[in-house]
Amino acid sequence: MEGVFLIMESQVMNQILECTSCGIVTEYKPETVCPECFGPLEVTYDYESIRGRLSREAFAARPTTMWRYHELLPAIDGGVPETPVGWTPLIKARRLGQVLGMPNLYIKNDAVNFPTLSFKDRVVTVALAKAIDFGFDTVACASTGNLANAMAAQASMLNLSSVILIPQDLEHQKITATACYDTRVVKVNGTYDEVNRLCSELAYREEIGIVNVNLRPYYSEGSKTVGFEIAEQLGWRLPDQVVVPMAGGSLISKIDKGFKELVKVGLAEDKSARIYGAQASGCAPITDLVKTGAKQVTPVKPDTLVKSLSIGAPADGLRASRVINGSGGWAEDVSDEEVVESITLLAETEGIFTEAAGGVTVGVTRKLVEQGKLNRDAVTVICITGNGLKTADLVKHRAAELPLIEPKYSSYSELVNNNEEVRISVGTI
Amino acid sequence: MSVQFEFLGPLKQLVNGQDIVEIQAATVGEALDNMKDLYPGISRRLLSDEGLLHQHINLFVNEDDIRYGNDLETRLSAGDKVTVISAIAGG
Ligand SMILES: Cc1ncc(COP(=O)(O)O)c(C=O)c1O
Ligand SMILES: [Zn+2]
């Protein structure tokens, strides 16, 4: 695997997992369950020592990938992969901001994350590096689509055998792309939650590194880099508000963890960022939890076109709701119709073509502004986590009745110059 | 009536490392209750203070998640297979 790995200087070597429920600590191993209380294991770091060694200036010379934050990512014995993942654009969303009446609106654009155009490339990079460290030669995952793309691509690149389990009703673009890589795709006649459960069984019945089961503590840490990048790109400031789409509830929880870590190691000033969660109405167990304050997730059977967020029994649902409520944020959900409108709104105003999950984020942002839950003037970052080419069928009506002309100037002129031009206008709310 | 309980992964330690445990009970809740004399600590580690199945644990009766059904009240019939597994997965 020559050339694929890069040894980072000063990679922190304390390799500790801590149970978030009972606090017991153990060494790094391929396990996500606390041996004492069966709670989730979480990677922790020696923040004091990192604080002493890390300054803002050091970042100028670092690679523009998510590994620029390697001190705050799981230690990788064999060196970190040179995959160009992360460091996606943070753009000022002027036109969308105008429509929503938000002058300080920003978009974190993981629709152009490499190599497979969603934030999932970040988590996979860490998980596969650890899989190699632990000596697995086969890796697997249960996926709602984007993870499948990311796993298949990066496992191919690293020459790892992989098995990818997906519910059979995913968007064909996601299935097709996955099948093009050097991987084994297994379609399952069931919901994502059923596929996930099957994968958990695999983790305990076979010697496989399952990125979102026994490699989950490492995998999920990759999501923190969305938070790190947002803060660094804002000039090492935390935003006032951030809106994040939720499926299992991991990404949103880890963005919050990332913000808090930057404060702990002295890279960002202590300030609380309000965290807002977004789901589709046809699968909203976490927004329900935020609104009811219940002590446990009530699982749902997903019924939405937003496949990437269709997790009815979210493993980090309770954690996500606590992060949201604790930060002074809120959560909302939007209908599939609003999702589709929001996909086109984002394309029309910012030139960003996002997948269904991005439609959820934009739609929920709009709803929260209308409700007065989001402050219009505050510095607000919305997370666009996936690419529209993967869910293009949702908006195919936009191209359904395009005019067809003869290849002659007269035909062109008759259509474009004589007919009244139909322009979709995006009025302010 | 007798049903089979299977504990996967680290959860096996609840029943002294056994793969399968046979138990007599009419509901899932009753089964867990009946196990607590044989396997001390099992209730405390599977159930929350409110007596609900702990959020980190999934329990399936014949492959069906009891949280989508009647939870601990889910009825058991002779020959049913119950699987207990960690819920920390996915996403
Ligand atoms: C595009 C996209 N955004 C957001 C999410 C939500 O991530 P999480 O499961 O960590 O909440 C997913 C999950 O698959 C996704 O594919
Ligand atoms: Zn514990």
Side-chain angles (χ1 to χ4, degrees), chain A residues 118-120 144-147 174 223 245-252 286 308-309 311 355 357-358 385-387, chain B residues 90-91:
Chain A
S118 88
F119 92 95
K120 287 288 183 187
T144 59
N146 284 307
L147 172 58
K174 285 178 185 157
S223 289
M246 306 185 290
S250 176
L251 172 64
I252 194 168
I286 310 182
S308 56
L309 303 182
I311 298 188
E355 75 136 78
T385 50
N387 193 294

Side-chain angles (χ1 to χ4, degrees), chain A residues 79-90:
Chain A
V80 300
E82 267 186 287
T83 329
V85 184
W87 199 249
T88 56
L90 180 83

Side-chain angles (χ1 to χ4, degrees), chain A residues 21 31-33 35-36 38-40 120 147 192-193 196-197 200-201 204-205 212-213 216 219 248 295-296 299-301 311-313 315 318, chain B residues 6 8-11 13-14 45-46 48 50 52-58 60 62-65 67-68 81 83 85-91:
Chain A
S21 291
E31 180 56 86
T32 189
V33 179
E36 266 310 304
F38 309 137
K120 287 288 183 187
L147 172 58
Y192 171 81
D193 297 286
N196 185 36
R197 185 249 160 144
S200 305
E201 277 195 54
Y204 296 116
R205 295 194 200 276
N212 47 6
V213 184
R216 199 168 189 270
Y219 164 87
K295 292 202 166 115
Q296 287 219 6
V300 300
K301 294 253 188 244
I311 298 188
L318 192 63
Chain B
E6 180 185 32
L8 287 182
L11 274 55
Q13 54 173 290
L14 288 172
R45 292 169 84 191
L46 289 184
S48 67
E50 294 85 23
L52 301 169
L53 185 64
H54 208 288
Q55 56 154 332
H56 305 313
I57 308 290
N58 277 339
F60 299 88
N62 301 327
E63 318 249 327
D64 289 326
D65 187 336
R67 287 199 182 89
Y68 288 99
K81 183 159 178 206
T83 310
I85 188 168
S86 162
I88 306 165

Side-chain angles (χ1 to χ4, degrees), chain A residues 42 216 220-221 223-224 244-246 248-260 275 286 315-324:
Chain A
E42 177 91 9
R216 199 168 189 270
S220 56
E221 285 290 283
S223 289
K224 292 191 310 192
V244 187
M246 306 185 290
S250 176
L251 172 64
I252 194 168
S253 307
K254 293 288 179 162
I255 287 177
D256 177 68
K257 182 181 180 188
F259 286 162
K260 291 188 169 132
I275 316 279
I286 310 182
D316 288 308
L318 192 63
R319 177 174 180 179
S321 77
R322 287 186 177 151
V323 160
I324 293 167

Side-chain angles (χ1 to χ4, degrees), chain A residues 1 17 51 55 70 95 103 116 130 152 189 204 206 246 260 270 274 289 291 315 324-325 334 365 368 386:
Chain A
M1 263 173 259
L17 293 176
R51 190 186 176 96
S55 67
H70 63 90
R95 287 199 68 206
T116 66
K130 286 315 292 178
N189 181 17
Y204 296 116
E206 311 207 357
M246 306 185 290
K260 291 188 169 132
D270 194 0
R274 289 187 298 283
L289 205 53
K291 290 176 186 175
I324 293 167
N325 288 131
V334 284
T365 303
L368 290 168

Side-chain angles (χ1 to χ4, degrees), chain A residues 79-217:
Chain A
V80 300
E82 267 186 287
T83 329
V85 184
W87 199 249
T88 56
L90 180 83
I91 62 146
K92 180 101 197 252
R94 289 192 177 78
R95 287 199 68 206
L96 181 63
Q98 253 168 24
V99 174
L100 301 180
M102 303 179 82
N104 292 305
L105 184 67
Y106 293 82
I107 292 171
K108 179 62 176 163
N109 188 8
D110 266 16
V112 293
N113 197 17
F114 284 136
T116 66
L117 310 177
S118 88
F119 92 95
K120 287 288 183 187
D121 288 315
R122 299 174 185 269
V123 284
V124 166
T125 305
V126 185
L128 297 192
K130 286 315 292 178
I132 292 167
D133 270 2
F134 290 130
F136 288 112
D137 47 30
T138 305
V139 289
C141 70
S143 170
T144 59
N146 284 307
L147 172 58
N149 291 167
M151 264 279 286
Q154 295 191 45
S156 299
M157 192 191 115
L158 297 171
N159 197 18
L160 278 166
S161 299
S162 60
V163 182
I164 291 170
L165 292 102
I166 50 169
Q168 36 83 40
D169 68 345
L170 294 185
E171 298 90 350
H172 68 88
Q173 292 92 340
K174 285 178 185 157
I175 299 179
T176 307
T178 307
C180 285
Y181 299 105
D182 180 16
T183 190
R184 174 143 201 193
V185 188
V186 180
K187 288 204 282 185
V188 180
N189 181 17
T191 62
Y192 171 81
D193 297 286
E194 290 168 320
V195 179
N196 185 36
R197 185 249 160 144
L198 173 60
C199 246
S200 305
E201 277 195 54
L202 285 183
Y204 296 116
R205 295 194 200 276
E206 311 207 357
E207 286 288 305
I208 299 185
I210 310 219
V211 299
N212 47 6
V213 184
N214 52 359
L215 296 169
R216 199 168 189 270

Side-chain angles (χ1 to χ4, degrees), chain A residues 6-18:
Chain A
L6 192 69
I7 304 290
M8 287 287 179
E9 276 172 51
S10 78
Q11 174 103 62
V12 185
M13 277 309 163
N14 57 322
Q15 309 200 349
I16 301 293
L17 293 176
E18 184 176 341

